[in-house]
Amino acid sequence: MQGRKRPRLLAISSFFAYPWSFLSTPGPSAQATDPSLEANKPHIGLNAEIIDNASTSGTPMVPSPESDPRLGPIAVASGASALEPRPPSTGSSPAAAMSNLHLPAEIIHEILFFTEHGTLAASALVNHTFRHISQRLLYRHMKPPANRIISCLKTLASRPILAAITRRLTIADITQSHHTLAAYLALLSRALHNTTSLTDLTLLLDGAYANILLGCSFRLRNLSTTLHWDSTFAQWMEEQTEIDDAMFGGTFVMGSTIDSGALRKLNRVSASPLILATVVPGRPVTDVEVCLMQSHLFKEDIMWTTTKIMSFSASPLRSLQIIACMDSVEDTLAALAVIPENLNMLRSLSMHAANGSFTRELLDGLQSVTSRFEHLRSVLFLSRDTSDALHDTSVISGLAAKWHSSCKSLECVSFPAGTWVYNQKYGWVTLRELERILVEREKTVREREKELEERERLLVAEQRELELRELGIADQIKALRAGLVQFGADVVAL
């Protein structure tokens, strides 16, 4: 594409390049025997390799000063960045023109913000300003693919300045394909300890490896992890005082406890019932997602116990999402029926059937569940079975009105095949119908605005006409007075 070729040309045409830690080491043709000569020599082949291998999947690439002999011992000893500012180019190439641009940094940031990661990697070779802005954009939100996680972690571990830029980091689980688990965990630990500004972490690492996180200086606000919930993990949770939204997908180790003063800002949480029993009571949790991936867990007694635990939240629970494997209609209705007993203030209820189907019988029975809520405003039901009743518009079209008849607070009902919202004037309508109503209402409002503008114009014209009449009458009165005065003078003269 033309938009991606231009930055590539800029980088290749006039600037020398460095080996990047995310890529293979350069070949013999890219090596220099004399650094003083090499500094003045463009390395077109190496630049081409850098740009062609630049990832657009979210993996930033950065040169390593320790691995580049052309930077010299001073740069290595001082920890200088591998992309130092280039001397002004005297050539007439597009890259020279770009390097001599004197745009405000804010404008450059706005331009580069909408570019792809490969273009950002090329932009880092333009000059100091472009390098600084490109690095901040590349490293701020990182989600490397599985084949580049190791390279990414090596960069974060060896470059603390770049690691400090990262705010959001996603690391998939590659332990199955990594032969030396201990070395990988050590590398991961060093990288995470360098990300001092991290606020959002997704760490899909299945196992009891929370010890690699102890002592990290960052303070997360959002966490998603599959680490086992054991005593070490609980200890790390006590260090993280700012977490607001968390997904705990790991196995709960029996006997693990957490200090009552930990996670005091937790507001949203997704976990299994055992972990919910540990983190919800006494904390201001308002949104909960409970995972019941085994059919024997989605039963009346377990659901009652789980929702009872949720009721001990320091704040009233407003939203509940259930991911469950359904077994039978009777068990499903019985499990859902106990929710209003413990969570009567609930405003949003969602259920996603990971296994099983919604039948017409089940949907008809849900009215007895919704009728027990006093403040329920929205319900959402999803399933993977695209052939069940949830995906049949003829079945679900009348359910919203039916459920609303016994639950007056209900305002929104959503299914895979459509969403219905309640309007006081039109009743229950789909989103498409609501959009049409809003468009028609907007059209009516515009027509009324035009009418009002026309009336206002006529009123202004009438007002102007009245003012002119008043001026004419005033002139007539003046003339009449002048005539009377003259007539009086004539009378006196006679």
Side-chain angles (χ1 to χ4, degrees):
M1 295 183 293
Q2 188 66 24
R4 295 178 58 186
K5 290 182 179 179
R6 181 173 178 80
R8 181 176 302 181
L9 176 61
L10 299 181
I12 294 175
S13 59
S14 65
F15 295 106
F16 61 89
Y18 303 99
W20 294 59
S21 60
F22 281 24
L23 306 174
S24 59
T25 57
S29 60
Q31 301 298 329
T33 57
D34 188 351
S36 62
L37 297 177
E38 189 70 4
N40 298 319
K41 178 182 177 182
H43 296 270
I44 297 177
L46 183 55
N47 269 298
E49 182 184 359
I50 291 172
I51 305 304
D52 289 337
N53 286 277
S55 171
T56 59
S57 61
T59 304
M61 294 171 290
V62 63
S64 174
E66 294 80 2
S67 62
D68 192 344
R70 287 168 289 172
L71 292 177
I74 297 179
V76 176
S78 62
S81 175
L83 292 176
E84 292 301 329
R86 303 293 190 260
S89 176
T90 58
S92 59
S93 64
M98 287 294 291
S99 64
N100 290 325
L101 281 178
H102 297 288
L103 292 175
E106 294 80 2
I107 301 298
I108 298 176
H109 181 277
E110 288 299 317
I111 295 173
L112 295 181
F113 182 80
F114 297 98
T115 60
E116 298 178 350
H117 285 79
T119 303
L120 285 175
S123 300
L125 301 174
V126 175
N127 56 28
H128 177 81
T129 302
F130 274 73
R131 181 204 65 183
H132 177 73
I133 297 174
S134 298
Q135 283 182 345
R136 295 197 67 84
L137 292 173
L138 282 168
Y139 284 88
R140 188 173 182 85
H141 305 305
M142 300 180 63
K143 188 178 180 181
N147 62 336
R148 292 197 173 180
I149 288 179
I150 298 298
S151 300
C152 174
L153 295 179
K154 287 181 178 179
T155 300
L156 295 179
S158 61
R159 303 293 298 279
I161 295 178
L162 295 178
I165 299 174
T166 305
R167 299 294 188 273
R168 182 186 304 163
L169 178 62
T170 299
I171 300 295
D173 191 356
I174 61 171
T175 55
Q176 300 297 328
S177 58
H178 203 275
H179 301 293
T180 56
L181 179 60
Y184 171 71
L185 294 177
L187 176 63
L188 178 59
S189 179
R190 293 197 305 272
L192 291 174
H193 277 76
N194 283 345
T195 55
T196 55
S197 302
L198 197 64
T199 60
D200 190 326
L201 174 62
T202 299
L203 183 58
L204 305 181
L205 182 61
D206 187 12
Y209 309 122
N211 58 301
I212 66 173
L213 296 165
L214 294 177
C216 289
S217 60
F218 56 73
R219 291 297 175 262
L220 299 176
R221 293 186 177 90
N222 301 296
L223 171 65
S224 298
T225 182
T226 54
L227 289 170
H228 289 186
W229 185 288
D230 53 13
S231 57
T232 306
F233 186 86
Q235 180 182 350
W236 180 57
M237 283 294 94
E238 295 173 4
E239 296 179 359
Q240 298 298 318
T241 57
E242 302 296 322
I243 291 182
D244 171 76
D245 189 342
M247 189 284 290
F248 302 117
T251 302
F252 181 80
V253 179
M254 299 302 297
S256 302
T257 59
I258 188 171
D259 187 84
S260 59
L263 299 176
R264 300 308 302 175
K265 296 184 179 181
L266 188 63
N267 183 256
R268 302 179 60 187
V269 59
S270 172
S272 62
L274 291 175
I275 297 179
L276 291 176
T278 304
V279 301
V280 171
R283 295 177 177 84
V285 178
T286 59
D287 299 341
V288 171
E289 180 182 79
V290 56
C291 302
L292 306 170
M293 299 306 294
Q294 290 79 29
S295 59
H296 67 274
L297 294 178
F298 194 46
K299 303 294 182 181
E300 179 180 1
D301 54 346
I302 295 180
M303 201 63 194
W304 188 93
T305 303
T306 303
T307 53
K308 186 64 177 179
I309 291 171
M310 297 178 191
S311 66
F312 291 108
S313 170
S315 299
L317 202 69
R318 302 299 186 189
S319 175
L320 174 62
Q321 298 88 38
I322 303 171
I323 302 177
C325 292
M326 299 188 304
D327 193 6
S328 65
V329 174
E330 294 77 12
D331 289 339
T332 300
L333 291 175
L336 294 175
V338 300
I339 298 177
E341 297 182 19
N342 298 319
L343 304 175
N344 196 31
M345 299 295 293
L346 205 64
R347 295 185 179 182
S348 175
L349 175 64
S350 304
M351 179 177 172
H352 182 193
N355 188 27
S357 304
F358 278 84
T359 63
R360 184 188 295 266
E361 179 186 359
L362 177 57
L363 293 176
D364 291 338
L366 288 176
Q367 183 177 5
S368 62
V369 176
T370 57
S371 62
R372 302 184 184 186
F373 289 98
E374 297 180 4
H375 305 279
L376 190 64
R377 294 183 179 179
S378 67
V379 292
L380 168 65
F381 295 101
L382 301 172
S383 70
R384 293 183 177 181
D385 186 0
T386 58
S387 62
D388 65 1
L390 284 185
H391 297 79
D392 189 346
T393 307
S394 62
V395 175
I396 63 177
S397 58
L399 289 178
K402 182 179 180 181
W403 293 347
H404 183 258
S405 63
S406 56
C407 182
K408 298 299 182 181
S409 61
L410 200 59
E411 298 175 349
C412 180
V413 178
S414 299
F415 305 104
T419 298
W420 280 259
V421 294
Y422 182 73
N423 184 278
Q424 292 183 352
K425 182 178 180 180
Y426 299 98
W428 286 93
V429 295
T430 63
L431 290 179
R432 181 172 299 179
E433 292 171 342
L434 182 62
E435 181 182 5
R436 177 181 55 80
I437 292 172
L438 293 177
V439 170
E440 292 177 353
R441 182 178 296 179
E442 183 179 1
K443 182 179 179 181
T444 303
V445 170
R446 289 180 179 177
E447 292 176 352
R448 290 182 179 179
E449 288 179 351
K450 290 182 179 179
E451 292 178 0
L452 291 175
E453 291 176 357
E454 181 64 20
R455 290 182 182 179
E456 184 177 358
R457 187 185 64 80
L458 294 175
L459 289 174
V460 170
E462 292 177 0
Q463 182 69 21
R464 180 59 180 170
E465 185 177 353
L466 289 174
E467 291 176 354
L468 294 175
R469 288 182 181 180
E470 289 178 357
L471 292 175
I473 294 174
D475 292 339
Q476 293 177 5
I477 293 174
K478 288 180 181 180
L480 182 60
R481 286 179 179 176
L484 291 174
V485 171
Q486 183 62 37
F487 176 76
D490 293 341
V491 172
V492 172
L494 293 173

